[in-house]
Amino acid sequence: MSKAEKLQENLLKTAEPVNEFIHQILQDRTPSQLYEASRHLIDAGGKRLRPFLAIKSCEAAGGKKKDAIPFAAALEILHNFTLVHDDLMDHDELRRGKPTVHSRFGEPLAILAGDLLFAKVYQSVLDYAPAKMSADDVVNTLQKMTDAIIVLCEGQALDISFPKATDVTEKDYIFMIGAKTSALFKACAEVGAIAAGASSDTIDSLGRFAWDAGLTFQIYDDVLGITADETKLGKPVGSDIREGKKTIIMIHALKHADDKQRETLLAAMKGEEATQEAIDAAVKVLNDIGSIDYARGEANKYLESSLKNIKGLRDSSAKNQLIDVINYFVQREY
Amino acid sequence: MSKAEKLQENLLKTAEPVNEFIHQILQDRTPSQLYEASRHLIDAGGKRLRPFLAIKSCEAAGGKKKDAIPFAAALEILHNFTLVHDDLMDHDELRRGKPTVHSRFGEPLAILAGDLLFAKVYQSVLDYAPAKMSADDVVNTLQKMTDAIIVLCEGQALDISFPKATDVTEKDYIFMIGAKTSALFKACAEVGAIAAGASSDTIDSLGRFAWDAGLTFQIYDDVLGITADETKLGKPVGSDIREGKKTIIMIHALKHADDKQRETLLAAMKGEEATQEAIDAAVKVLNDIGSIDYARGEANKYLESSLKNIKGLRDSSAKNQLIDVINYFVQREY
């Protein structure tokens, strides 16, 4: 078993009690179809990165895994709520290699399933936070999560507006992925640390660690969107290009392209109209300009910056696992 | 000024500090269009019934109005979040006589604006609950609100499934409107009472009062959907019939119709296909069978049952205003 495979196994194993919790809190009520729709994406798979971040941050801050479970579950539910609504907004048909919630259950039920998941985020914490935890700490975790959701909405609104915008800079992109990915990563680490009863310094360090880890993850996600094996990716390779997404790769390439290269890139960003040949030609241009390598370099830069933030934490197995998983972000195949 | 007009003025005046709070918490951040979309429906008007219920329940339980403001705002935001998503699911173009959020800003932004409002419900309480309130009480109010949202989602999922269903009974209908309307009314009254530091008996009494008040309100809403003045209603009269909604009126009529009457009713429930003549003929049948009067009678039945629950509360101006507003439910013109 490769190191990456062992790590993936560790992520899934760590999340087992989280999955159990989620199944309890999403068990059928009337109407059962709503609950089926709300479980659909969670059951379809996923890496369970966010519960891992929450649980290992809790342990790295001196807490017990079981105290982090309701929060880890809340954060995974939160992530899935945003995916259900994002897929609908983006009209994506596939996620994790399976039909998205709206393609399987229709748009109205996808909206509602997302809303139900949203409410279940709060129910997980309000009804199941460890009894020994103070109500003040419960309120604190909910504030972190609520702030993250607000920023996530802002990030998604920006992301939607980007394909139409012609003047998106790398700075705009970093701001957007910070909102769409890092805000929730940060909440995972902070909430895990709060569940451990950590000091505000430790909570902040883990939060900063997770923020840069989120940037690393998302930048590398954009790399994989072009370089990955399609069967592993669970969606068509190059669909980011087709949809006109302003990824760090595309922003870099458009900035450095000559006229002919620019033409090739723009020809591929035409949605349904773009042929597979146009996509392939654009990928070649991205390679020629060095934009994919540039993105890999930036991902590694944020990776280093991320790890600096937890250097001061007491050594522990959990801390090592956090370091392993962040390193894995730039080594994974999907 | 008629009694009804005075009451409406009282509702709007009571909500003034609530509107101010809502404008503060929904003020522009990046991207501003998202915030514009999230304010759109709230600014379009509305009766502000839910803040009134929360504030007057707080006062009737011995509390101060100002302590209820963040909760009243949270509950009005919650109501508007459900309307934004409901309008999208129902493809309704008008609400409060103005374009709905998705017709004005497009579907993706309507989904996101709803999600943002959802998060703002929690932020209102988490960040702005009165400092003197215990964290346990804050958690308690959030539990009431979260439970209401879950039941609201279930009610909306049922409502969506009703037009296709052929066997909807009056019992199903009461269950559905309990979920769609009463659950939130109940949360308003309970949260208001908690903000007042009331005993659990008082919290429960006000909750039961508001539950039956919600049924009264919704049944009478269905009456108005057929009998109201279109300019006051803000949407086409008879659209419930056209959309095949299983209102208490329609359920009663279909149960008691002879074959010819049933044919007339079904001919009007065909969406875009149904002519205005078909709608008019169906309204005549509803009158002939006595279904509209039946609904009025049921609304009054729940009204009486509602008021019984607060008989035991100490007399106060707030209590009288609650009684007035519930009586107004069956006297209003829209």
Side-chain angles (χ1 to χ4, degrees), chain B residues 14 21 23 32 40 47 53-54 58 61 97 101 127 136 148-149 185-186 239 265 290 296 305 311-312:
Chain B
T14 303
F21 182 101
H23 273 101
S32 58
H40 176 74
K47 290 185 274 296
L53 276 176
C58 175
V101 178
D127 293 1
D136 281 317
I149 297 173
F185 273 39
K186 178 167 169 267
S239 61
L265 293 174
R296 283 202 183 92
S305 151
K311 266 200 168 159

Side-chain angles (χ1 to χ4, degrees), chain B residues 296-307:
Chain B
R296 283 202 183 92
E298 289 300 293
N300 277 301
K301 207 183 74 184
Y302 287 109
L303 170 62
E304 278 175 40
S305 151
S306 167
L307 294 178

Side-chain angles (χ1 to χ4, degrees), chain A residues 139 143 146-147 150, chain B residues 21 25 70 122-129 138:
Chain A
V139 166
Q143 282 174 318
T146 303
D147 290 347
I150 290 168
Chain B
F21 182 101
I25 208 162
Y122 288 93
Q123 194 184 44
S124 301
V125 173
L126 290 163
D127 293 1
Y128 300 96
V138 172

Side-chain angles (χ1 to χ4, degrees), chain A residues 214-230:
Chain A
L215 299 182
T216 307
F217 181 79
Q218 190 55 52
I219 293 172
Y220 207 77
D221 229 40
D222 291 343
V223 172
L224 288 173
I226 291 172
T227 63
D229 180 331
E230 191 154 311

Side-chain angles (χ1 to χ4, degrees), chain A residues 29 35 85 115 127 154, chain B residues 29 35 85 115 127 143 154:
Chain A
R29 287 173 36 127
Y35 282 84
H85 281 185
D115 292 345
D127 293 1
E154 294 169 352
Chain B
R29 284 171 41 124
Y35 283 84
H85 281 185
D115 292 345
D127 293 1
Q143 283 174 316
E154 294 169 351

Side-chain angles (χ1 to χ4, degrees), chain B residues 9-299:
Chain B
E9 199 181 68
N10 187 17
L11 288 176
L12 294 179
K13 203 173 150 45
T14 303
E16 273 168 17
V18 176
N19 296 337
E20 213 171 288
F21 182 101
I22 292 175
H23 273 101
Q24 280 290 328
I25 208 162
L26 291 180
Q27 64 185 299
D28 272 355
R29 284 171 41 124
T30 304
S32 58
Q33 219 201 4
L34 172 64
Y35 283 84
E36 207 189 313
S38 78
R39 291 188 304 260
H40 176 74
L41 184 59
I42 293 174
D43 286 347
K47 290 185 274 296
R48 301 293 192 257
L49 257 179
R50 289 155 192 83
F52 189 85
L53 276 176
I55 290 168
K56 294 302 161 187
S57 294
C58 175
E59 291 180 342
K64 289 214 168 61
K65 177 176 177 178
K66 73 171 171 33
D67 293 332
I69 301 297
F71 302 100
L75 290 154
E76 180 66 16
I77 294 172
L78 198 171
H79 174 54
N80 279 272
F81 137 68
T82 65
L83 296 181
V84 172
H85 281 185
D86 284 6
D87 285 341
L88 179 53
M89 289 179 236
D90 299 344
H91 301 292
D92 285 335
E93 299 299 311
L94 286 176
R95 160 87 63 184
R96 298 171 180 167
K98 303 233 169 76
T100 48
V101 178
H102 64 97
S103 13
R104 171 83 175 69
F105 295 89
E107 297 202 359
L109 221 53
I111 296 173
L112 273 178
D115 292 345
L116 179 66
L117 290 172
F118 199 152
K120 290 286 176 179
V121 170
Y122 288 93
Q123 194 184 44
S124 301
V125 173
L126 290 163
D127 293 1
Y128 300 96
K132 66 177 177 189
M133 200 165 160
S134 73
D136 281 317
D137 274 349
V138 172
V139 166
N140 194 7
T141 61
L142 291 177
Q143 283 174 316
K144 302 283 188 199
M145 288 161 66
T146 303
D147 290 347
I149 297 173
I150 290 168
V151 172
L152 271 161
C153 289
E154 294 169 351
Q156 173 67 1
L158 280 175
D159 198 15
I160 289 174
S161 70
F162 275 8
K164 284 178 220 149
T166 52
D167 55 350
V168 179
T169 64
E170 188 174 320
K171 201 178 152 196
D172 297 330
Y173 167 86
I174 294 294
F175 183 83
M176 187 273 288
I177 66 168
K180 276 202 72 169
T181 303
S182 292
L184 183 51
F185 273 39
K186 178 167 169 267
C188 290
E190 289 177 339
V191 165
I194 296 169
S199 69
S200 62
D201 272 359
T202 301
I203 296 168
D204 289 349
S205 301
L206 279 161
R208 283 195 304 274
F209 153 80
W211 183 275
D212 283 344
L215 299 182
T216 307
F217 181 79
Q218 190 55 51
I219 292 172
Y220 207 77
D221 230 40
D222 291 343
V223 171
L224 288 172
I226 292 172
T227 63
D229 181 330
E230 191 155 310
T231 55
K232 289 187 181 168
L233 195 62
K235 64 176 185 179
V237 164
S239 61
D240 287 353
I241 302 176
R242 193 185 290 277
E243 290 163 15
K245 284 212 170 163
K246 300 293 190 306
T247 64
I248 190 170
I249 299 169
M250 190 52 81
I251 292 167
H252 180 272
L254 286 171
K255 191 172 165 191
H256 295 91
D258 61 30
D259 288 352
K260 193 154 169 281
Q261 288 173 321
R262 180 182 313 272
E263 213 173 283
T264 306
L265 293 174
L266 295 178
M269 298 166 76
K270 291 193 168 164
E272 301 285 322
E273 278 179 53
T275 62
Q276 189 56 46
E277 288 70 36
I279 303 288
D280 294 343
V283 171
K284 187 174 178 307
V285 167
L286 297 177
N287 271 306
D288 290 348
I289 295 178
S291 303
I292 300 172
D293 281 342
Y294 173 75
R296 283 202 183 92
E298 289 300 293

